[in-house]
Amino acid sequence: GTHLEVDNFRGWNSHWILEAGDFVIQDGEILNKKFGFQEVFNWRLVNDMPFYFFRKGQRVGISYNEQFLSLYYHDVVHGMCCGYAANNPRVINNTVSFFGQRDGVWYYVVVEFN
């Protein structure tokens, strides 16, 4: 049969979050299906609010506190292994940093949430 490996399972503010492959399920609802995303990744808490990246069509966007921000990229480095994992998105306190590519140019992006 087909299966997805569970990447993370956690609780937050009486909700539960399950990450499996490129899917995120919150309280039994698949966010990919709810919002029409092909991929959802790096779900984290920033300032005790949900943060994640999503791919919709040719763009990778950002969601914070259940809002979709106007930042977009064509690609975001994620899911890398071993030494390359240093390039994966990082969350430190209220800051998210990542490598994003837009129009053929790679950027190191730091987003601070207050």
Side-chain angles (χ1 to χ4, degrees):
T2 303
H3 72 280
L4 287 175
E5 184 175 316
V6 172
D7 299 313
N8 282 303
F9 183 68
R10 66 187 83 174
W12 156 74
N13 277 356
S14 71
H15 299 283
W16 61 266
I17 306 296
L18 174 69
E19 293 179 82
D22 295 332
F23 294 88
V24 172
I25 303 165
Q26 180 177 326
D27 301 327
E29 187 170 34
I30 302 169
L31 296 184
N32 304 59
K33 183 177 179 181
K34 179 178 181 179
F35 298 114
F37 300 150
Q38 289 81 27
E39 181 180 15
V40 177
F41 58 94
N42 280 84
W43 192 101
R44 301 288 183 269
L45 288 176
V46 178
N47 290 336
D48 201 36
M49 300 294 176
F51 169 92
Y52 59 85
F53 294 93
F54 61 88
R55 178 177 300 281
K56 189 166 188 170
Q58 298 297 314
R59 294 184 173 193
V60 176
I62 296 172
S63 176
Y64 174 71
N65 192 18
E66 301 180 353
Q67 302 293 314
F68 303 117
L69 306 182
S70 60
L71 295 174
Y72 77 89
Y73 298 89
H74 294 114
D75 200 8
V76 169
V77 175
H78 68 284
M80 303 300 284
C81 177
C82 309
Y84 296 110
N87 298 315
N88 289 336
R90 292 180 182 216
V91 175
I92 300 173
N93 299 322
N94 65 336
T95 303
V96 178
S97 59
F98 60 94
F99 288 95
Q101 185 261 342
R102 184 185 303 143
D103 298 325
V105 177
W106 283 97
Y107 299 91
Y108 180 70
V109 182
V110 178
V111 182
E112 184 177 351
F113 298 97
N114 293 317

